[in-house]
Amino acid sequence: MTPEEIKAAIQATATINLEVYYYWATAIMILIHAGFLMYEMGASRVKHTLASGTKNILAFAFMIPTFFMFGWWIYLAMTAGFIPNFEAGAGGVPWSDAMGPNLQDNASGVFVAAFTLFACTTASILSGAVIERIRMMSFIILAVLLGSVVWVLSASWGWHYDGWMTKSLGYHDFGASGVVHMISGFFALGVLINLGPRIGKFNSDGSANVIKGHSLPMTATGLMLIVVGFFGFLGACVIFPGTAVSFHETMWTNIYGQPTTLSAIVFNTLMAVAGGIIGCYVMTRDPFWMMSGALCGVISAAAGLDLWYPGLAFVVAFLGGLLGPCAAKFIENRGIDDAVGAVAVHGICGVWGLLAVGIFMGGYPPVSETIPAITLWGQVVGIGVMAALGFIPGYVVSLIMKIMGILRASDAVQAAGMDVEVVGDAYPEEIRTEIN
């Protein structure tokens, strides 16, 4: 073979490996949604179990076509802010060559698939917070708004090598502490304020009652599945060699084109899982919060997962594990009923994740002329942007639904169980009364 033929063969192999890599990363990410399905059904009372699960399944299903129709276009076209770049977005319209079967394109489909699964994750985060009282179609509308519009806009700004937050602020968010988790947590907060608490959650004096789900083992197992799915999620945050957007074209990079390795990601992910679990164990001794602590830890460390020394990743995650249940209690004491602590786990730990990068990694040197060094100021501004971009649409749209009377199920439906919205029983009739 000539040198040119050898080079062409190597490039062809790299292209095929790229496609295989993201194919399986996306497949593993689906375990996140299997986990959320179990997690939220277990956290629901028996009479609400199937409705909680159905919300998750429908959010997953609706996200896929809506992200195809307009979500990917938003990501490509909106990097400068609210003014679209139609030329940059041309490859994201449904009729473009990149959005269909194309034997010359081994990259676009798997990239779109990975981002679609990120979008589905945002919807699942919202789903848990609002169980046992939101109307099905209202939830689906909110989920599509979050997953195929709001989250994608934040990713275009801060999770794209050409995004304005990336280029002007030195914003760094490798594993999406802000662009996925903060956005989802603060969007959920806006919805919860208008949705109101479950019947019986708060007493007349404002004190809160514990409403237990019907299966803690199911919930804990679901949370562990989410942790497994995170390895696909975080693996898909890495750019495969040969596809980098900077001069580092022969090595693994983050989404900004800065070099990293899978070894760094797996080291720090494992340390973050352990740190979060131990932190929540110290605070609560509660199996629910111990497994939620794994999420607290990963989300806290995610923004800098490509940069942390493993010991520091553990510390950042441990502090996130301490923070999560405290934040959930603080939110509950304000009269907000977040059934699974999603605002605390994803929103508040996402804040800590971005802030930690600014504190410990400020000044991390740039690797290109277009992406500046990480700055604490950039991370702080990023926190404000993500909080506002998540909260405002969630609050405004759910307020409109509340005024229209379509946001929340009636007290009679809640008392009977949200499962009246679906067909089937979660458990045989003879044991239903015992569990309920």
Side-chain angles (χ1 to χ4, degrees):
M1 295 178 68
T2 66
E4 291 74 17
E5 289 173 330
I6 293 172
K7 183 177 180 180
I10 292 172
Q11 182 57 50
T13 301
T15 300
I16 292 169
N17 287 340
L18 175 151
E19 189 171 30
V20 171
Y21 176 81
Y22 289 107
Y23 181 95
W24 287 112
T26 302
I28 295 170
M29 287 172 70
I30 294 176
L31 289 175
I32 293 175
H33 307 289
F36 271 113
L37 186 70
M38 292 183 65
Y39 167 35
E40 292 170 23
M41 287 196 297
S44 300
R45 289 167 288 181
V46 168
K47 61 186 179 182
H48 305 294
T49 302
L50 291 182
S52 294
T54 300
K55 284 196 294 84
N56 252 293
I57 296 168
L58 287 176
F60 182 85
F62 273 90
M63 207 61 57
I64 294 168
T66 56
F67 194 86
F68 175 81
M69 287 187 285
F70 49 82
W72 190 240
W73 179 87
I74 293 172
Y75 178 71
L76 297 179
M78 302 300 289
T79 55
F82 289 104
I83 300 174
N85 182 334
F86 289 97
E87 182 179 356
V93 295
W95 52 87
S96 75
D97 289 342
M99 296 296 281
N102 184 336
L103 295 179
Q104 283 72 51
D105 185 350
N106 295 78
S108 296
V110 287
F111 278 128
V112 173
F115 271 76
T116 301
L117 267 292
F118 293 136
C120 293
T121 298
T122 65
S124 291
I125 293 167
L126 170 66
S127 178
V130 298
I131 57 173
E132 299 195 348
R133 69 252 199 225
I134 196 169
R135 295 180 69 172
M136 191 75 71
M137 286 310 302
S138 296
F139 166 74
I140 291 170
I141 292 168
L142 289 165
V144 169
L145 173 64
L146 171 59
S148 289
V149 180
V150 174
W151 165 75
V152 195
L153 191 60
S154 75
S156 185
W157 293 353
W159 219 32
H160 189 295
Y161 65 92
D162 204 34
W164 71 266
M165 291 176 61
T166 302
K167 294 197 302 183
S168 64
L169 298 176
Y171 178 80
H172 188 90
D173 191 9
F174 166 81
S177 293
V179 300
V180 168
H181 296 288
M182 257 198 78
I183 285 285
S184 304
F186 279 84
F187 188 98
L189 178 62
V191 173
L192 287 170
I193 290 171
N194 290 312
L195 181 63
R198 291 166 289 178
I199 295 173
K201 175 61 181 177
F202 294 106
N203 300 311
S204 57
D205 62 358
S207 59
N209 298 308
V210 176
I211 299 179
K212 295 182 178 180
H214 80 280
S215 178
L216 183 55
M218 182 187 291
T219 293
T221 304
L223 284 163
M224 181 59 81
L225 277 178
I226 295 172
V227 171
V228 176
F230 260 120
F231 282 86
F233 180 107
L234 295 167
C237 296
V238 178
I239 304 299
F240 193 88
T243 65
V245 295
S246 74
F247 57 83
H248 295 278
E249 295 187 356
T250 59
M251 58 184 5
W252 295 94
T253 75
N254 59 28
I255 205 160
Y256 310 110
Q258 298 163 316
T260 188
T261 66
L262 287 179
S263 291
I265 306 310
V266 74
F267 255 132
N268 289 330
T269 301
L270 288 171
M271 293 294 272
V273 168
I277 291 174
I278 294 170
C280 277
Y281 174 76
V282 168
M283 288 299 295
T284 69
R285 307 295 196 273
D286 180 348
F288 168 79
W289 271 108
M290 285 168 59
M291 283 313 307
S292 293
L295 303 188
C296 292
V298 171
I299 293 162
S300 295
L305 209 66
D306 55 329
L307 302 176
W308 300 127
Y309 175 73
L312 184 54
F314 180 89
V315 171
V316 169
F318 175 79
L319 293 175
L322 299 179
L323 176 63
C326 295
K329 191 66 177 177
F330 178 87
I331 290 165
E332 182 179 78
N333 289 341
R334 299 306 178 276
I336 297 171
D337 180 14
D338 179 354
V340 297
V343 177
V345 172
H346 298 273
I348 304 304
C349 287
V351 171
W352 163 232
L354 292 181
L355 189 61
V357 169
I359 293 170
F360 297 112
M361 293 295 175
Y364 188 84
V367 295
S368 74
E369 295 179 356
T370 59
I371 299 177
I374 297 169
T375 67
L376 177 58
W377 173 244
Q379 297 302 101
V380 171
V381 173
I383 288 168
V385 170
M386 297 302 161
L389 184 60
F391 179 81
I392 293 171
Y395 180 83
V396 170
V397 175
S398 62
L399 178 61
I400 293 170
M401 289 179 169
K402 178 181 178 181
I403 293 170
M404 294 172 64
I406 62 172
L407 179 63
R408 181 183 173 99
S410 68
D411 288 357
V413 169
Q414 291 181 65
M418 297 297 294
D419 283 3
V420 298
E421 292 190 325
V422 300
V423 176
D425 278 318
Y427 296 96
E429 185 64 32
E430 58 267 22
I431 68 168
R432 180 171 181 148
T433 302
E434 296 177 18
I435 302 177
N436 199 358

